[in-house]
Amino acid sequence: MAKTPSPSPSPAGSGSSSGSIQVIDRLTVLLEGIARHRDPVSLKVLAADAGLHPSTAFRILAAAIENGLVAREGSHYRLGIRLLQWGSRVASHRDLRREARPLMEALRDKIGETVNLTVRQGDEVVYLDRALPERMMRVEQRIGSRAPLHVTAVGKLMLGEGSETDCREYARRTGLPGYTRYSFTDEEQLVQHVSGCVRAGFAYDDEEAETGVGCIGVLVHDDAGQIVAGLSISAPIERRRDEWIELLKDTARALSAGSVTR
Amino acid sequence: MAKTPSPSPSPAGSGSSSGSIQVIDRLTVLLEGIARHRDPVSLKVLAADAGLHPSTAFRILAAAIENGLVAREGSHYRLGIRLLQWGSRVASHRDLRREARPLMEALRDKIGETVNLTVRQGDEVVYLDRALPERMMRVEQRIGSRAPLHVTAVGKLMLGEGSETDCREYARRTGLPGYTRYSFTDEEQLVQHVSGCVRAGFAYDDEEAETGVGCIGVLVHDDAGQIVAGLSISAPIERRRDEWIELLKDTARALSAGSVTR
DNA sequence: CGCCATATTTCGCATTGTGAAATCGATTGC
DNA sequence: GCAATCGATTTCACAATGCGAAATATGGCG
């Protein structure tokens, strides 16, 4: 080992993420690469995307296939069915989703718009589940996808429930990137706005994440008062109604009540 | 290399699957181990389950955590949120699920029982999606879970649509394990029964997978006549009604009609 | 306060995964 | 129909990578 006079070939180009086991990092990058594309992807593209030698990518994918993490269609790769199983087993929040589902569907049927269930994960909200209405135009988030706190209704409430310092730190840390011309990008304004939302007990998202989309969000607490999740309605902004606020609050209350403390 | 007087430590206990990359196999076994348990699991248990040395399991889990595949709660491990994302992105069948969802919900509302969407995967059916009724007692399959073909209504139809030889080979290959006292365990009887199901255009499952549970299953075909999926109703056996057969067939037809060929 | 049971870290070793290059196979153009 | 081309697989020699025994931290309990 003392040898290695060779110009340490390891770091490669991409730099990529710091992980402790090379193969697992690479596997993750590959899976991520497959997930990014809508349709099955060729080896060539995957290898290039991941910054790997084709033969290396091939070997790793072959191993992934044997384990059901990846499947192939001809010579194109797609995510394997085993991920479906694991995805539905992600244990945390499992009971939450179970509890929430019927309530969300009931609300959706009442108002005819998309209802989302989210949780905080670092500086983002993650979409845990949703109930979609059957109409041509609707707002649809992919389960598992993420969005920054400051451009979502629920996220702003989560920011507001922490201390003002936390909120300011979030602002510094992320630089408050703007997504539309309505996004908050100024720390002072955000802090102000956010505390108003908390006082009101709900938050709007006025086209802050995507132009044309308006949301209403509320928080779900457990018995101890801790934030458990967020519940929101997303709709084309011109269809949004203030009557929904109370319905949404009711749903959140029902969910809070029934929630297992865990 | 000539050394290693130790009794070739590689194959470990579990035997498990033969894969091409050791770490990936092990990672899979570990994830599977976490998924099997309802609650977060300790390192000790995981390592033992997977037949790995604790330090090895620890290292692999640490790498998995860095990549978001696993999360920890104290010193217990659970599946990471990234799996949620991937799970919802499993591309194959995505359009199918999307198409099927509203039809399944409509059927569920009409009959008040669980409606399942399944696809074949080797010698098993995999539960892709389901619509659950809101009642105390209901049948519930986890999304992504699997069951052998010969103990499910849809599975028997899938067996029947192949050649008789295929069915017999399946019987030999699997040995037709029995799950309840009603399961088919005899090759001859199965072949017989299965072809009857196909002729009828639907199949019952009379407590063959689980005592007390009865199902009705039909197949969904595409324009080319290929099997795309299976649709079934699962209910406590004494609540099952034959009127559902036509409703189920209607739903399958609607799904077949609307289905994108690929 | 000290004991036991887990979790985590260290470290030398050889097994494992690596990637360049060679082969295979299918498609395209001539 | 044949060569040329491009991508997917396989081979192979090498050393970097991941391995696991043992040592060390941590922490829960009597």
Side-chain angles (χ1 to χ4, degrees), chain B residues 50-82:
Chain B
L52 296 175
H53 193 280
S55 81
T56 304
F58 178 81
R59 225 172 332 99
I60 295 176
L61 285 169
I65 287 171
E66 293 224 32
N67 287 292
L69 311 184
V70 168
R72 40 191 322 178
E73 210 151 280
S75 64
H76 285 224
Y77 299 83
R78 54 180 185 75
L79 295 180
I81 213 149
R82 195 164 211 165

Side-chain angles (χ1 to χ4, degrees), chain B residues 102-158:
Chain B
L103 296 172
M104 292 167 64
E105 288 182 355
L107 182 59
R108 168 203 61 189
D109 292 340
K110 210 172 296 174
I111 62 175
E113 298 288 353
T114 302
V115 177
N116 295 299
L117 179 69
T118 48
V119 292
R120 180 172 181 167
Q121 168 84 179
D123 286 343
E124 299 175 309
V125 293
V126 178
Y127 288 85
L128 267 196
D129 207 352
R130 58 201 183 169
L132 298 170
E134 285 188 60
R135 41 196 307 180
M136 216 89 100
M137 183 166 81
R138 64 186 183 194
V139 180
E140 182 171 349
Q141 289 289 349
R142 179 159 301 288
I143 291 176
S145 67
R146 292 182 280 248
L149 293 176
H150 71 286
V151 301
T152 62
V154 164
K156 290 189 292 185
L157 285 167
M158 288 173 167

Side-chain angles (χ1 to χ4, degrees), chain A residues 57-169:
Chain A
F58 177 80
R59 228 171 330 101
I60 295 176
L61 286 168
I65 288 171
E66 292 223 34
N67 287 293
L69 311 185
V70 168
R72 41 192 322 176
E73 211 151 278
S75 63
H76 285 224
Y77 299 82
R78 54 181 185 71
L79 295 181
I81 215 147
R82 194 159 210 170
L83 292 175
L84 191 69
Q85 184 180 7
W86 289 341
S88 72
R89 283 220 167 216
V90 171
S92 73
H93 320 303
R94 200 172 55 196
D95 302 327
L96 179 66
R97 286 168 80 185
R98 208 233 260 302
E99 290 257 9
R101 175 57 76 89
L103 296 172
M104 291 166 64
E105 288 181 356
L107 182 58
R108 168 203 61 191
D109 292 341
K110 209 171 297 175
I111 62 176
E113 298 287 354
T114 302
V115 177
N116 295 300
L117 180 69
T118 48
V119 291
R120 179 171 181 168
Q121 168 83 181
D123 286 342
E124 300 176 307
V125 293
V126 177
Y127 288 85
L128 268 196
D129 207 353
R130 49 186 199 179
L132 297 170
E134 285 188 59
R135 41 195 310 180
M136 216 87 101
M137 181 165 82
R138 64 186 183 195
V139 180
E140 182 170 349
Q141 288 289 348
R142 179 160 301 290
I143 290 177
S145 68
R146 292 182 279 250
L149 294 176
H150 71 285
V151 301
T152 62
V154 164
K156 290 189 293 185
L157 286 168
M158 289 172 166
L159 272 177
E161 290 242 336
S163 68
E164 190 182 309
T165 323
D166 287 346
C167 183
R168 292 188 186 278
E169 266 167 19

Side-chain angles (χ1 to χ4, degrees), chain B residues 7-209:
Chain B
S8 93
S10 40
S14 54
S16 77
S17 57
S18 62
S20 23
I21 296 189
Q22 196 190 47
V23 202
I24 292 180
D25 294 347
R26 291 174 163 184
L27 173 67
T28 306
V29 176
L30 283 169
L31 288 173
E32 196 65 42
I34 298 178
R36 202 175 10 255
H37 295 266
R38 175 161 297 265
D39 296 309
V41 204
S42 72
L43 176 65
K44 175 126 185 267
V45 172
L46 274 179
D49 268 24
L52 296 175
H53 193 280
S55 81
T56 304
F58 178 81
R59 225 172 332 99
I60 295 176
L61 285 169
I65 287 171
E66 293 224 32
N67 287 292
L69 311 184
V70 168
R72 40 191 322 178
E73 210 151 280
S75 64
H76 285 224
Y77 299 83
R78 54 180 185 75
L79 295 180
I81 213 149
R82 195 164 211 165
L83 292 175
L84 189 70
Q85 184 179 7
W86 288 341
S88 72
R89 283 220 168 213
V90 171
S92 75
H93 321 304
R94 201 172 53 195
D95 302 328
L96 178 65
R97 286 168 79 186
R98 209 234 260 301
E99 290 257 9
R101 174 60 75 90
L103 296 172
M104 292 167 64
E105 288 182 355
L107 182 59
R108 168 203 61 189
D109 292 340
K110 210 172 296 174
I111 62 175
E113 298 288 353
T114 302
V115 177
N116 295 299
L117 179 69
T118 48
V119 292
R120 180 172 181 167
Q121 168 84 179
D123 286 343
E124 299 175 309
V125 293
V126 178
Y127 288 85
L128 267 196
D129 207 352
R130 58 201 183 169
L132 298 170
E134 285 188 60
R135 41 196 307 180
M136 216 89 100
M137 183 166 81
R138 64 186 183 194
V139 180
E140 182 171 349
Q141 289 289 349
R142 179 159 301 288
I143 291 176
S145 67
R146 292 182 280 248
L149 293 176
H150 71 286
V151 301
T152 62
V154 164
K156 290 189 292 185
L157 285 167
M158 288 173 167
L159 273 177
E161 290 242 337
S163 69
E164 190 182 309
T165 323
D166 288 345
C167 184
R168 291 189 186 280
E169 267 167 19
Y170 168 85
R172 303 263 162 74
R173 199 163 47 234
T174 63
L176 300 182
Y179 279 62
T180 70
R181 75 165 150 286
Y182 305 105
S183 308
F184 284 91
T185 54
D186 177 71
E187 178 179 327
E188 217 47 60
Q189 286 180 3
L190 182 69
V191 169
Q192 205 72 24
H193 172 77
V194 137
S195 79
C197 294
V198 171
R199 251 175 282 122
F202 75 96
Y204 288 120
D205 165 1
D206 292 315
E207 310 187 63
E208 294 156 47

